[in-house]
Every structure is written in C-alpha cells, then in structure tokens.
Coordinates of all heavy atoms in Angstrom, one line a residue:
M1 N 1.2 10.7 26.9 CA 1.9 9.5 26.7 C 1.9 9.1 25.2 O 0.8 9.1 24.6 CB 1.1 8.4 27.5 CG 1.5 7.0 27.2 SD 0.5 5.6 27.8 CE 0.3 6.1 29.5
K2 N 3.0 8.9 24.7 CA 3.2 8.5 23.3 C 2.9 7.0 23.1 O 3.4 6.2 23.9 CB 4.6 8.8 22.8 CG 5.0 10.3 22.8 CD 4.4 11.0 21.6 CE 5.0 12.4 21.5 NZ 4.4 13.1 20.5
C3 N 2.2 6.7 22.0 CA 1.9 5.3 21.7 C 2.0 5.1 20.2 O 1.9 6.0 19.4 CB 0.5 5.0 22.2 SG 0.2 5.0 24.0
V4 N 2.2 3.8 19.9 CA 2.2 3.3 18.5 C 1.0 2.4 18.3 O 0.8 1.5 19.1 CB 3.5 2.6 18.2 CG1 3.5 2.0 16.8 CG2 4.8 3.4 18.4
I5 N 0.3 2.7 17.2 CA -0.9 1.9 16.9 C -0.7 1.3 15.5 O -0.2 2.0 14.6 CB -2.2 2.8 16.8 CG1 -2.5 3.4 18.2 CG2 -3.4 2.0 16.3 CD1 -3.6 4.4 18.3
S6 N -0.9 0.0 15.4 CA -0.8 -0.8 14.2 C -2.2 -1.3 13.8 O -2.9 -1.9 14.7 CB 0.2 -1.9 14.3 OG 1.4 -1.4 14.7
V7 N -2.5 -1.2 12.6 CA -3.8 -1.7 12.1 C -3.5 -2.5 10.8 O -2.8 -2.1 9.9 CB -4.8 -0.5 11.7 CG1 -6.1 -1.1 11.1 CG2 -5.0 0.4 12.8
L8 N -4.1 -3.7 10.8 CA -3.8 -4.7 9.7 C -5.1 -5.5 9.4 O -5.7 -6.0 10.3 CB -2.7 -5.6 10.0 CG -2.2 -6.6 8.9 CD1 -1.6 -5.8 7.8 CD2 -1.2 -7.5 9.5
G9 N -5.4 -5.6 8.1 CA -6.5 -6.4 7.7 C -6.9 -6.1 6.2 O -6.2 -5.3 5.5
K10 N -7.9 -6.8 5.8 CA -8.4 -6.6 4.4 C -8.9 -5.2 4.2 O -9.6 -4.7 5.1 CB -9.5 -7.6 4.1 CG -9.9 -7.6 2.7 CD -10.7 -8.9 2.4 CE -11.2 -8.9 1.0 NZ -10.2 -8.8 -0.1
D11 N -8.5 -4.6 3.2 CA -8.8 -3.2 2.9 C -10.3 -3.0 2.7 O -11.0 -3.9 2.2 CB -8.1 -2.7 1.6 CG -8.3 -1.2 1.4 OD1 -8.4 -0.5 2.4 OD2 -8.3 -0.8 0.2
R12 N -10.8 -1.9 3.3 CA -12.2 -1.6 3.2 C -12.4 -0.1 3.5 O -11.5 0.5 4.1 CB -13.1 -2.4 4.1 CG -12.7 -2.3 5.6 CD -13.6 -3.0 6.5 NE -14.9 -2.3 6.5 CZ -15.9 -2.6 7.4 NH1 -15.7 -3.6 8.2 NH2 -17.0 -1.9 7.4
S13 N -13.4 0.5 3.1 CA -13.6 1.9 3.3 C -14.0 2.2 4.8 O -14.6 1.3 5.4 CB -14.7 2.5 2.4 OG -16.0 1.9 2.7
G14 N -13.6 3.3 5.3 CA -13.9 3.7 6.6 C -13.0 3.3 7.7 O -13.2 3.7 8.9
V15 N -11.9 2.6 7.4 CA -11.0 2.2 8.5 C -10.3 3.4 9.2 O -10.3 3.5 10.4 CB -9.9 1.2 7.9 CG1 -8.9 0.9 9.0 CG2 -10.6 0.0 7.4
V16 N -9.7 4.3 8.4 CA -9.0 5.4 9.0 C -10.0 6.3 9.8 O -9.7 6.7 10.9 CB -8.3 6.3 7.9 CG1 -7.7 7.5 8.5 CG2 -7.3 5.4 7.1
A17 N -11.2 6.5 9.2 CA -12.2 7.3 9.9 C -12.6 6.7 11.2 O -12.7 7.4 12.2 CB -13.4 7.5 9.0
A18 N -12.8 5.4 11.2 CA -13.2 4.7 12.5 C -12.2 4.8 13.6 O -12.5 5.1 14.7 CB -13.6 3.2 12.2
I19 N -10.9 4.5 13.2 CA -9.8 4.6 14.2 C -9.6 6.0 14.7 O -9.5 6.3 15.9 CB -8.5 4.0 13.6 CG1 -8.7 2.5 13.2 CG2 -7.4 4.2 14.6 CD1 -9.0 1.6 14.3
A20 N -9.6 7.0 13.7 CA -9.5 8.4 14.1 C -10.6 8.9 15.0 O -10.4 9.7 15.9 CB -9.4 9.2 12.8
T21 N -11.8 8.4 14.8 CA -12.9 8.8 15.6 C -12.8 8.3 17.0 O -13.0 9.0 18.0 CB -14.3 8.2 15.0 OG1 -14.5 8.9 13.7 CG2 -15.4 8.6 15.9
V22 N -12.3 7.0 17.2 CA -12.1 6.5 18.5 C -11.0 7.4 19.2 O -11.2 7.8 20.4 CB -11.6 5.0 18.5 CG1 -11.1 4.6 19.9 CG2 -12.7 4.1 18.0
L23 N -10.0 7.7 18.5 CA -8.9 8.5 19.1 C -9.4 9.9 19.5 O -9.1 10.4 20.6 CB -7.7 8.5 18.2 CG -7.0 7.2 18.0 CD1 -6.0 7.3 16.9 CD2 -6.4 6.7 19.2
A24 N -10.1 10.5 18.6 CA -10.7 11.8 18.9 C -11.6 11.8 20.1 O -11.5 12.6 21.0 CB -11.4 12.4 17.7
D25 N -12.4 10.8 20.2 CA -13.4 10.6 21.3 C -12.6 10.4 22.7 O -13.1 10.8 23.7 CB -14.3 9.4 21.1 CG -15.3 9.7 20.0 OD1 -15.5 10.8 19.6 OD2 -16.0 8.7 19.6
C26 N -11.4 9.9 22.6 CA -10.6 9.6 23.8 C -9.7 10.8 24.1 O -8.9 10.7 25.0 CB -9.8 8.3 23.6 SG -10.8 6.8 23.6
G27 N -9.7 11.8 23.2 CA -8.8 13.0 23.5 C -7.4 12.8 23.0 O -6.5 13.6 23.4
A28 N -7.2 11.8 22.2 CA -5.8 11.6 21.7 C -5.5 12.4 20.4 O -6.4 12.8 19.7 CB -5.7 10.1 21.3
N29 N -4.3 12.7 20.2 CA -3.8 13.4 19.0 C -3.0 12.5 18.1 O -2.1 11.8 18.6 CB -3.0 14.6 19.4 CG -2.6 15.5 18.2 OD1 -3.5 15.9 17.5 ND2 -1.3 15.6 18.0
I30 N -3.3 12.5 16.8 CA -2.5 11.7 15.9 C -1.3 12.6 15.5 O -1.5 13.6 14.8 CB -3.3 11.3 14.6 CG1 -4.5 10.5 15.0 CG2 -2.4 10.6 13.6 CD1 -5.5 10.2 13.9
D31 N -0.1 12.1 15.9 CA 1.1 12.9 15.6 C 1.7 12.6 14.2 O 2.3 13.4 13.6 CB 2.2 12.6 16.7 CG 1.7 12.9 18.1 OD1 1.0 14.0 18.2 OD2 2.0 12.2 19.0
D32 N 1.5 11.3 13.8 CA 2.1 10.9 12.5 C 1.3 9.6 12.1 O 0.8 8.9 12.9 CB 3.6 10.5 12.6 CG 4.3 10.5 11.3 OD1 3.7 10.8 10.3 OD2 5.5 10.1 11.3
I33 N 1.1 9.5 10.8 CA 0.4 8.4 10.3 C 1.0 7.9 8.9 O 1.4 8.7 8.1 CB -1.1 8.7 10.1 CG1 -1.9 7.5 9.6 CG2 -1.3 9.9 9.2 CD1 -3.4 7.8 9.6
S34 N 1.0 6.6 8.7 CA 1.5 6.0 7.5 C 0.6 4.8 7.2 O 0.3 4.1 8.1 CB 3.0 5.5 7.7 OG 3.4 4.8 6.5
Q35 N 0.2 4.8 5.9 CA -0.6 3.7 5.5 C -0.3 3.2 4.1 O 0.2 4.0 3.3 CB -2.1 4.1 5.6 CG -2.5 5.2 4.7 CD -3.9 5.7 4.8 OE1 -4.5 5.5 5.9 NE2 -4.5 6.2 3.8
T36 N -0.6 2.0 3.8 CA -0.3 1.4 2.5 C -1.3 0.2 2.3 O -1.8 -0.3 3.2 CB 1.1 1.0 2.4 OG1 1.4 0.7 1.0 CG2 1.5 -0.2 3.2
I37 N -1.4 -0.1 1.0 CA -2.2 -1.3 0.6 C -1.1 -2.3 0.1 O -0.3 -1.9 -0.8 CB -3.2 -1.0 -0.5 CG1 -4.1 0.1 -0.1 CG2 -3.9 -2.3 -0.9 CD1 -5.0 -0.2 1.1
L38 N -1.1 -3.5 0.6 CA -0.1 -4.5 0.3 C -0.6 -5.5 -0.6 O -1.7 -6.1 -0.3 CB 0.4 -5.1 1.6 CG 1.0 -4.2 2.7 CD1 1.2 -5.0 4.0 CD2 2.3 -3.6 2.2
G39 N 0.1 -5.8 -1.7 CA -0.2 -6.9 -2.6 C -1.5 -6.9 -3.3 O -2.3 -6.0 -3.2
E40 N -1.7 -8.0 -4.0 CA -2.9 -8.1 -4.8 C -4.2 -8.4 -3.9 O -5.3 -8.2 -4.3 CB -2.8 -9.3 -5.8 CG -1.7 -9.0 -6.9 CD -2.1 -7.8 -7.7 OE1 -3.3 -7.6 -8.1 OE2 -1.2 -7.0 -8.0
G41 N -3.9 -8.9 -2.7 CA -5.0 -9.3 -1.8 C -5.6 -8.0 -1.2 O -6.5 -8.1 -0.4
R42 N -5.0 -6.9 -1.5 CA -5.5 -5.6 -0.9 C -5.5 -5.6 0.6 O -6.5 -5.3 1.2 CB -6.8 -5.2 -1.5 CG -6.9 -5.4 -3.0 CD -7.2 -4.2 -3.9 NE -7.9 -3.1 -3.3 CZ -7.4 -1.9 -3.5 NH1 -6.3 -1.7 -4.2 NH2 -8.0 -0.8 -3.0
M43 N -4.3 -6.0 1.2 CA -4.2 -5.9 2.6 C -3.8 -4.5 3.0 O -2.9 -3.9 2.5 CB -3.0 -6.9 3.0 CG -2.8 -7.0 4.5 SD -4.1 -7.8 5.4 CE -4.1 -9.4 4.7
F44 N -4.6 -4.0 4.0 CA -4.4 -2.6 4.5 C -3.5 -2.7 5.7 O -3.7 -3.5 6.6 CB -5.8 -2.0 4.8 CG -5.7 -0.7 5.5 CD1 -5.7 0.4 4.7 CD2 -5.7 -0.5 6.8 CE1 -5.6 1.7 5.2 CE2 -5.6 0.7 7.4 CZ -5.6 1.9 6.6
S45 N -2.5 -1.8 5.7 CA -1.6 -1.7 6.8 C -1.5 -0.2 7.2 O -1.3 0.7 6.3 CB -0.2 -2.2 6.5 OG 0.7 -2.0 7.5
M46 N -1.6 0.1 8.5 CA -1.5 1.5 8.9 C -0.8 1.5 10.3 O -1.0 0.7 11.1 CB -2.9 2.1 9.1 CG -2.9 3.6 9.6 SD -4.5 4.4 9.6 CE -5.4 3.4 10.8
T47 N 0.1 2.5 10.4 CA 0.9 2.7 11.6 C 0.7 4.2 12.0 O 0.8 5.0 11.2 CB 2.4 2.4 11.5 OG1 2.5 1.0 11.0 CG2 3.1 2.5 12.8
M48 N 0.4 4.4 13.3 CA 0.2 5.7 13.8 C 1.0 6.0 15.0 O 1.2 5.1 15.8 CB -1.3 6.0 14.2 CG -2.3 5.7 13.1 SD -4.0 5.7 13.8 CE -4.6 7.1 13.0
M49 N 1.5 7.2 15.2 CA 2.1 7.6 16.4 C 1.1 8.6 17.0 O 0.7 9.5 16.3 CB 3.5 8.3 16.2 CG 4.1 8.9 17.4 SD 4.7 7.6 18.5 CE 6.1 7.0 17.7
V50 N 0.7 8.3 18.2 CA -0.3 9.2 18.9 C 0.1 9.6 20.2 O 1.0 9.0 20.9 CB -1.7 8.4 18.9 CG1 -2.2 8.0 17.6 CG2 -1.6 7.3 19.9
T51 N -0.5 10.7 20.7 CA -0.3 11.1 22.1 C -1.6 11.0 22.8 O -2.6 11.6 22.3 CB 0.2 12.6 22.1 OG1 1.4 12.7 21.4 CG2 0.4 13.1 23.5
L52 N -1.6 10.2 23.8 CA -2.8 10.0 24.6 C -2.9 11.1 25.7 O -1.8 11.6 26.2 CB -2.8 8.6 25.3 CG -2.8 7.4 24.4 CD1 -3.0 6.2 25.2 CD2 -3.8 7.5 23.3
E53 N -4.1 11.4 26.1 CA -4.3 12.4 27.2 C -4.9 11.5 28.3 O -6.2 11.4 28.4 CB -5.3 13.4 26.7 CG -5.1 14.9 26.9 CD -3.8 15.3 27.4 OE1 -2.9 15.6 26.5 OE2 -3.6 15.4 28.6
P54 N -4.1 11.0 29.2 CA -4.6 10.1 30.3 C -5.7 10.7 31.1 O -6.5 10.0 31.7 CB -3.4 9.8 31.1 CG -2.2 10.0 30.2 CD -2.6 11.1 29.3
A55 N -5.8 12.0 31.2 CA -6.8 12.6 32.0 C -8.2 12.4 31.3 O -9.2 12.4 32.0 CB -6.6 14.1 32.2
R56 N -8.2 12.3 30.0 CA -9.4 12.0 29.3 C -9.8 10.6 29.1 O -10.9 10.2 29.3 CB -9.4 12.6 27.9 CG -9.3 14.1 27.8 CD -10.6 14.8 27.4 NE -11.5 14.2 26.5 CZ -11.6 14.6 25.2 NH1 -10.8 15.5 24.7 NH2 -12.5 14.0 24.5
A57 N -8.7 9.8 28.8 CA -8.9 8.3 28.7 C -7.5 7.7 28.9 O -6.6 8.0 28.2 CB -9.4 8.0 27.3
D58 N -7.5 6.7 29.8 CA -6.2 6.0 30.1 C -5.9 5.0 29.0 O -6.7 4.7 28.2 CB -6.2 5.4 31.5 CG -7.2 4.3 31.7 OD1 -7.8 3.8 30.7 OD2 -7.5 3.9 32.8
F59 N -4.7 4.5 29.1 CA -4.2 3.5 28.1 C -5.2 2.4 27.9 O -5.5 2.0 26.8 CB -2.8 3.0 28.4 CG -2.2 2.1 27.4 CD1 -1.6 2.5 26.3 CD2 -2.4 0.7 27.6 CE1 -1.0 1.6 25.4 CE2 -1.9 -0.2 26.7 CZ -1.2 0.3 25.6
N60 N -5.6 1.8 29.0 CA -6.5 0.6 28.9 C -7.8 0.9 28.3 O -8.3 0.1 27.5 CB -6.7 0.0 30.3 CG -5.4 -0.7 30.9 OD1 -4.5 -1.1 30.1 ND2 -5.3 -0.7 32.2
T61 N -8.4 2.0 28.5 CA -9.6 2.4 27.9 C -9.5 2.6 26.4 O -10.3 2.1 25.7 CB -10.1 3.8 28.5 OG1 -10.4 3.6 29.9 CG2 -11.4 4.2 27.9
V62 N -8.4 3.3 26.0 CA -8.1 3.4 24.6 C -7.9 2.1 23.9 O -8.5 1.8 22.8 CB -6.9 4.4 24.3 CG1 -6.6 4.5 22.9 CG2 -7.2 5.8 24.9
Q63 N -7.2 1.2 24.6 CA -6.9 -0.1 24.0 C -8.2 -0.9 23.8 O -8.4 -1.5 22.8 CB -6.0 -0.9 25.0 CG -5.6 -2.2 24.5 CD -4.6 -2.9 25.4 OE1 -4.7 -2.8 26.6 NE2 -3.6 -3.6 24.8
E64 N -9.1 -0.9 24.8 CA -10.3 -1.6 24.7 C -11.2 -1.0 23.6 O -11.8 -1.8 22.8 CB -11.1 -1.5 26.1 CG -10.5 -2.3 27.2 CD -11.1 -2.0 28.5 OE1 -12.0 -1.2 28.6 OE2 -10.5 -2.5 29.5
R65 N -11.3 0.3 23.5 CA -12.1 0.9 22.4 C -11.5 0.6 21.0 O -12.3 0.3 20.1 CB -12.2 2.4 22.6 CG -12.9 2.7 24.0 CD -13.9 3.7 24.0 NE -14.5 4.2 22.8 CZ -14.7 5.4 22.5 NH1 -14.4 6.4 23.3 NH2 -15.3 5.8 21.3
L66 N -10.2 0.6 20.9 CA -9.6 0.3 19.6 C -9.8 -1.2 19.2 O -10.0 -1.5 18.1 CB -8.1 0.6 19.6 CG -7.7 2.1 19.6 CD1 -6.2 2.3 19.8 CD2 -8.2 2.7 18.2
T67 N -9.6 -2.1 20.2 CA -9.9 -3.5 20.0 C -11.3 -3.7 19.5 O -11.5 -4.5 18.6 CB -9.5 -4.3 21.2 OG1 -8.1 -4.1 21.6 CG2 -9.8 -5.8 21.0
A68 N -12.2 -3.1 20.2 CA -13.7 -3.3 19.8 C -13.9 -2.8 18.4 O -14.6 -3.4 17.6 CB -14.5 -2.6 20.8
T69 N -13.3 -1.6 18.1 CA -13.5 -1.1 16.7 C -12.8 -2.0 15.7 O -13.4 -2.2 14.6 CB -12.9 0.3 16.6 OG1 -13.6 1.2 17.6 CG2 -13.0 0.9 15.3
G70 N -11.7 -2.5 16.0 CA -11.0 -3.5 15.1 C -11.9 -4.7 14.9 O -12.0 -5.2 13.7
D71 N -12.5 -5.2 15.9 CA -13.4 -6.4 15.8 C -14.5 -6.1 14.9 O -14.9 -6.9 14.0 CB -13.9 -6.8 17.1 CG -12.8 -7.5 18.0 OD1 -11.7 -7.8 17.5 OD2 -13.0 -7.6 19.2
E72 N -15.1 -4.9 15.0 CA -16.2 -4.5 14.2 C -15.8 -4.4 12.7 O -16.6 -4.7 11.8 CB -16.8 -3.1 14.6 CG -17.5 -3.1 15.9 CD -17.8 -1.8 16.5 OE1 -17.7 -0.8 15.7 OE2 -18.2 -1.7 17.7
L73 N -14.6 -3.9 12.5 CA -14.0 -3.8 11.1 C -13.5 -5.0 10.5 O -13.2 -5.1 9.3 CB -12.9 -2.7 11.1 CG -13.4 -1.3 11.4 CD1 -12.1 -0.4 11.7 CD2 -14.2 -0.7 10.3
G74 N -13.3 -6.0 11.4 CA -12.6 -7.3 10.9 C -11.1 -7.0 10.7 O -10.5 -7.7 9.9
M75 N -10.5 -6.1 11.6 CA -9.1 -5.8 11.4 C -8.4 -6.0 12.8 O -9.0 -6.0 13.8 CB -9.0 -4.3 11.1 CG -9.8 -3.7 10.0 SD -9.2 -3.9 8.4 CE -7.8 -2.9 8.3
Q76 N -7.1 -6.2 12.7 CA -6.3 -6.4 13.9 C -5.8 -4.9 14.3 O -5.2 -4.3 13.4 CB -5.1 -7.3 13.7 CG -4.2 -7.4 14.9 CD -2.9 -8.2 14.5 OE1 -2.4 -8.1 13.5 NE2 -2.5 -9.0 15.5
V77 N -6.1 -4.5 15.5 CA -5.6 -3.2 15.9 C -4.8 -3.4 17.2 O -5.4 -3.9 18.2 CB -6.8 -2.2 16.2 CG1 -6.3 -0.8 16.6 CG2 -7.7 -2.1 14.9
L78 N -3.6 -3.0 17.2 CA -2.7 -3.1 18.4 C -2.2 -1.7 18.8 O -1.9 -0.9 17.9 CB -1.5 -4.0 18.1 CG -1.8 -5.4 17.6 CD1 -0.5 -6.1 17.2 CD2 -2.5 -6.2 18.7
I79 N -2.1 -1.5 20.1 CA -1.6 -0.3 20.6 C -0.5 -0.6 21.6 O -0.7 -1.6 22.4 CB -2.6 0.7 21.3 CG1 -2.0 2.0 21.7 CG2 -3.4 0.0 22.3 CD1 -3.0 3.0 22.2
Q80 N 0.6 0.1 21.5 CA 1.8 -0.2 22.5 C 2.3 1.2 22.9 O 2.3 2.2 22.1 CB 2.9 -0.9 21.8 CG 2.6 -2.3 21.4 CD 3.7 -2.9 20.6 OE1 4.0 -2.5 19.5 NE2 4.4 -3.9 21.2
R81 N 2.7 1.2 24.2 CA 3.4 2.4 24.6 C 4.7 2.6 23.9 O 5.3 1.6 23.6 CB 3.7 2.3 26.1 CG 2.4 2.4 27.0 CD 2.8 2.1 28.5 NE 1.6 2.2 29.3 CZ 0.8 1.2 29.6 NH1 0.9 0.0 29.0 NH2 -0.3 1.4 30.3
E82 N 5.0 3.8 23.5 CA 6.2 4.0 22.7 C 7.5 3.4 23.3 O 8.3 2.8 22.6 CB 6.4 5.5 22.4 CG 7.6 5.8 21.5 CD 8.0 7.2 21.4 OE1 7.7 8.0 22.3 OE2 8.5 7.6 20.3
D83 N 7.6 3.6 24.6 CA 8.8 3.1 25.3 C 8.9 1.5 25.2 O 10.0 1.0 25.0 CB 9.0 3.5 26.7 CG 7.8 3.2 27.6 OD1 6.7 2.8 27.1 OD2 7.9 3.3 28.8
V84 N 7.8 0.9 25.3 CA 7.8 -0.6 25.1 C 8.1 -1.0 23.7 O 8.9 -1.9 23.4 CB 6.4 -1.2 25.6 CG1 6.3 -2.7 25.3 CG2 6.2 -0.9 27.1
F85 N 7.5 -0.3 22.8 CA 7.7 -0.5 21.3 C 9.2 -0.3 21.0 O 9.8 -1.2 20.4 CB 6.9 0.5 20.5 CG 7.0 0.3 19.0 CD1 6.3 -0.6 18.3 CD2 8.0 1.0 18.3 CE1 6.4 -0.8 17.0 CE2 8.1 0.9 16.9 CZ 7.3 0.0 16.3
Q86 N 9.8 0.7 21.5 CA 11.2 1.0 21.2 C 12.1 -0.1 21.8 O 13.1 -0.6 21.2 CB 11.6 2.4 21.8 CG 11.0 3.5 21.1 CD 11.5 3.8 19.7 OE1 12.4 3.1 19.2 NE2 10.8 4.7 19.0
A87 N 11.8 -0.5 23.1 CA 12.6 -1.6 23.7 C 12.5 -2.9 23.0 O 13.5 -3.6 22.9 CB 12.1 -1.7 25.2
M88 N 11.3 -3.2 22.4 CA 11.1 -4.5 21.7 C 11.9 -4.5 20.4 O 12.3 -5.6 20.0 CB 9.7 -4.7 21.4 CG 8.8 -5.0 22.5 SD 7.1 -5.2 22.1 CE 7.1 -6.4 20.8
Y89 N 12.2 -3.4 19.8 CA 12.8 -3.4 18.5 C 14.3 -2.8 18.5 O 14.8 -2.6 17.5 CB 12.0 -2.6 17.5 CG 10.6 -3.3 17.3 CD1 9.5 -2.9 17.9 CD2 10.6 -4.5 16.5 CE1 8.3 -3.6 17.8 CE2 9.4 -5.2 16.4 CZ 8.3 -4.7 17.0 OH 7.1 -5.4 16.8
Q90 N 14.9 -2.7 19.7 CA 16.3 -2.4 19.8 C 17.1 -3.6 19.5 O 16.8 -4.7 19.9 CB 16.6 -1.8 21.2 CG 16.1 -0.4 21.4 CD 16.6 0.1 22.8 OE1 17.0 -0.7 23.7 NE2 16.5 1.4 23.0
I91 N 18.2 -3.3 18.8 CA 19.1 -4.4 18.4 C 20.3 -4.4 19.4 O 20.8 -3.4 19.8 CB 19.6 -4.2 16.9 CG1 18.5 -4.3 16.0 CG2 20.7 -5.2 16.6 CD1 18.8 -4.1 14.5

C-alpha cells in the first residue's frame, strides 16, 4: 500500500532517523523523500512516499507509531493513503 507521510515542526537533529526507524520497524520502504528547512524560524518540512507491508504492520499501526514519534519529537506527523491524498488534491 502506497502512502504519503508529511512531517512539520521546528528543526532539530534526529527527525529523519526517528521517522525512518519507525518505518523500518514496521517493514515499510521509503520510495521517495523530500525535505527542506523553511524560513528564519528553521521550520523543518519533510514529505515521504512509502510502501507499507500490511502483513508486517497495518496502516493504523503505522499511523499510531508515527503519531507517537511525532509527539516525542514535538513535530506534526501525518500519514495518508496515496489514493486518498490524490483524491484530495485533484482539481
């Protein structure tokens, strides 16, 4: 299952590692990743396209783990199924 993950918050070290570790533990593969630091306030923004392995961890499990990690980091972490993401942004 393809999913889009968005991470947003104040920049700090270890964000990419923490998110990637959760995904690896859940058997997910990072297909694409883009990240940037926005503005003088050093706002970190990352978007990932991932493939989940539902036999290892279903969508809800991955979502719960990413949310918990985001809370620990003080970051907002959202995951959406790719088809839902595409439908939301069609013109």
Side-chain angles (χ1 to χ4, degrees):
M1 170 191 309
K2 296 277 190 188
C3 295
V4 177
I5 298 172
S6 302
V7 180
L8 185 64
K10 187 163 177 58
D11 188 31
R12 59 176 287 188
S13 64
V15 174
V16 176
I19 300 298
T21 297
V22 169
L23 294 171
D25 289 348
C26 292
N29 185 58
I30 299 170
D31 302 320
D32 198 3
I33 183 171
S34 174
Q35 63 185 26
T36 191
I37 306 297
L38 303 169
E40 294 298 317
R42 312 240 342 129
M43 183 67 65
F44 176 85
S45 173
M46 178 170 67
T47 305
M48 305 169 112
M49 177 68 73
V50 301
T51 302
L52 301 185
E53 226 14 89
R56 292 261 322 262
D58 64 15
F59 180 87
N60 291 336
T61 299
V62 176
Q63 183 177 40
E64 289 169 6
R65 298 226 16 226
L66 287 171
T67 299
T69 299
D71 290 346
E72 291 170 13
L73 294 168
M75 314 273 294
Q76 178 186 39
V77 181
L78 302 173
I79 182 171
Q80 295 176 289
R81 291 174 177 87
E82 181 187 30
D83 57 347
V84 173
F85 181 86
Q86 295 290 353
M88 286 177 57
Y89 295 101
Q90 282 183 344
I91 297 176

